[in-house]
Amino acid sequence: MSETEWDRIHADETSNATFIETDRLHRLREHVGELLRRTATRRDSSQSLDSSNRVAGRALFCVGDAGSGKTVTLRRAILSFSALRPVDEGEPRRPILSINAPDQPSLNAIYGRLLQCMDYPSMAARSTEVLRQRFLAQSERLGVVLIHIDDAANMTVGQDAFRARRSAQKIAACLRSLMEEEPPFSLIVSGLEPTLQLLEHDDALARRAQQVGLSRVRPQEHKVIAHALHLRAKDLGLVFSPDRDLIGRLVHAANQQFGLSFELAWHAIALAQAVGATELGACHFADAYFRRTSCHPGLNVFEAPDWERIDTTAIIPKLVDDPSVTLRRRR
């Protein structure tokens, strides 16, 4: 590839790595900090703090819609605490393990993924107890105190009601067993809204859990988005003066999700650079949205005059059902 193409790749990488701080991060940081302090709470205050003198684990459930930015925000909140950062020099330390939830919920599957996360050779052990003992030995060696399970809702979605309920019961039991281990682990469980259903199947888990949700973009956050895009475009030599209408269209196109709003914006900036534009305009956002959805021009949020009535939650955008819309189509 040419040097110009490599420069564009570098610009895309920089844009994708850009993180916009909002009160979402501060709220998550408070919850993670509280969870971390809990792991340092002694069961017996007259004895020193060690792995055998910690209170039972607690859980933090972080939920949000797809594209809300929960994974990136949660990762940033976790790494803001030096005590949770990995150490590779000298004696390795892994205070927190982060895994994606297995499709088939079971203790075996969770222990297997946790061992892989610790670079332990994969093994096909049928005995849950064997996996458990090896996991506990490795976690003691690496100083694991927190476990993060991402995409937890994937373990229950796509099943009928009976199987989903059974899966949720199994998952809840798995999580509670990790919190009651010796030594105990605290948990961060993140995923879509159905993740909270796990709390309905285990009273002990529900009592020890806190919930935090990443809400949709609020009107007062439109200025934050506009300012961040203005600065990024300026850094790349693009003129961009976002107006209220364009930012409103962008947020609507992103289904009111914070992370997806910036994902669309970074794509629009990349397209503007690709054609050698000096100004970032609505046409570049429209192009980015079309490439994502292959929608009809009349259903492009950045081109349609009645963009607020476009249902962007569907894979293929469509107008919200409305008698007046149907009548207009017939005419």
Side-chain angles (χ1 to χ4, degrees), residues 298-316:
L299 294 176
N300 192 311
V301 176
F302 297 96
E303 295 179 338
D306 53 351
W307 56 272
E308 291 181 306
R309 292 167 60 190
I310 297 176
D311 180 8
T312 58
T313 61
I315 297 177
I316 301 177

Side-chain angles (χ1 to χ4, degrees), residues 61-66 68 70 151-154 156-157 189-200 211-216 257:
F61 279 68
C62 175
V63 297
D65 294 335
S68 62
K70 56 183 175 297
D151 294 329
N154 292 348
T156 58
V157 297
V189 184
S190 57
L192 302 176
E193 197 74 26
T195 301
L196 294 178
Q197 295 176 5
L198 300 176
L199 301 177
E200 301 174 1
Q211 305 173 25
V212 58
L214 296 188
S215 59
R216 296 188 168 196
Q257 301 306 318

Side-chain angles (χ1 to χ4, degrees), residues 238-257:
L238 293 171
V239 177
F240 182 52
S241 301
D243 55 30
R244 181 179 301 178
D245 179 72
L246 179 59
I247 298 302
R249 290 173 183 262
L250 173 62
V251 173
H252 184 73
N255 302 327
Q256 312 296 322
Q257 301 306 318

Side-chain angles (χ1 to χ4, degrees), residues 1-304:
M1 289 187 290
S2 67
E3 187 173 339
T4 301
E5 290 171 323
W6 280 115
D7 289 341
R8 289 173 182 167
I9 291 175
H10 177 68
D12 290 344
E13 291 174 341
T14 303
S15 295
N16 292 331
T18 302
F19 183 83
I20 310 302
E21 287 199 18
T22 64
D23 60 349
R24 301 161 185 261
L25 173 63
H26 305 316
R27 189 168 68 253
L28 259 181
R29 188 182 289 150
E30 289 178 0
H31 282 281
V32 174
E34 184 176 348
L35 198 63
L36 182 59
R37 289 192 296 273
R38 183 71 181 181
T39 65
T41 302
R42 294 176 294 176
R43 183 182 300 168
D44 185 351
S45 59
S46 64
Q47 303 294 324
S48 61
L49 176 65
D50 56 31
S51 59
S52 62
N53 191 29
R54 296 207 307 263
V55 296
R58 294 283 170 168
L60 171 63
F61 279 68
C62 175
V63 297
D65 294 335
S68 62
K70 56 183 175 297
T71 300
V72 176
T73 306
L74 186 55
R75 185 184 302 121
R76 183 61 64 97
I78 289 171
L79 293 179
S80 65
F81 295 93
S82 58
L84 294 178
R85 296 172 188 165
V87 176
D88 293 318
E89 299 178 359
E91 185 178 351
R93 304 286 290 176
R94 295 289 185 276
I96 181 169
L97 300 178
S98 183
I99 63 171
N100 286 330
D103 295 333
Q104 299 298 325
S106 67
L107 272 175
N108 281 37
I110 291 178
Y111 283 141
R113 293 213 170 182
L114 289 171
L115 285 169
Q116 290 177 4
C117 186
M118 293 186 283
D119 296 325
Y120 190 84
S122 59
M123 54 179 293
R126 294 186 177 182
S127 171
T128 301
E129 186 59 26
V130 171
L131 287 173
R132 173 178 171 272
Q133 291 299 331
R134 297 193 181 188
F135 162 69
L136 291 177
Q138 291 299 310
S139 63
E140 182 76 13
R141 180 179 68 85
L142 295 174
V144 178
V145 293
L146 286 178
I147 295 174
H148 171 215
I149 302 177
D150 198 14
D151 294 329
N154 292 348
M155 294 188 282
T156 58
V157 297
Q159 304 180 34
D160 57 50
F162 176 76
R163 291 184 178 180
R165 184 172 62 254
R166 290 293 301 274
S167 295
Q169 291 171 345
K170 288 182 180 179
I171 300 165
C174 290
L175 299 181
R176 177 170 47 80
S177 66
L178 287 169
M179 296 164 62
E180 295 175 349
E181 282 286 5
E182 291 292 342
F185 300 95
S186 288
L187 307 176
I188 298 177
V189 184
S190 57
L192 302 176
E193 197 74 26
T195 301
L196 294 178
Q197 295 176 5
L198 300 176
L199 301 177
E200 301 174 1
H201 298 280
D202 194 297
D203 292 339
L205 175 62
R207 287 196 303 271
R208 299 173 186 169
Q210 290 188 355
Q211 305 173 25
V212 58
L214 296 188
S215 59
R216 296 188 168 196
V217 176
R218 295 165 295 178
Q220 56 266 39
E221 291 178 315
H222 286 206
K223 290 185 178 180
V224 175
I225 296 175
H227 182 66
L229 298 188
H230 172 73
L231 293 180
R232 182 58 188 150
K234 183 179 179 181
D235 290 341
L236 296 174
L238 293 171
V239 177
F240 182 52
S241 301
D243 55 30
R244 181 179 301 178
D245 179 72
L246 179 59
I247 298 302
R249 290 173 183 262
L250 173 62
V251 173
H252 184 73
N255 302 327
Q256 312 296 322
Q257 301 306 318
F258 198 77
L260 188 54
S261 297
F262 283 102
E263 186 178 323
L264 271 171
W266 303 150
H267 192 188
I269 290 176
L271 292 175
Q273 287 188 296
V275 298
T278 58
E279 183 175 354
L280 179 63
C283 60
H284 303 114
F285 287 89
D287 191 10
Y289 188 72
F290 172 76
R291 291 172 185 244
R292 175 181 290 270
T293 64
S294 296
C295 63
H296 185 276
L299 294 176
N300 192 311
V301 176
F302 297 96
E303 295 179 338

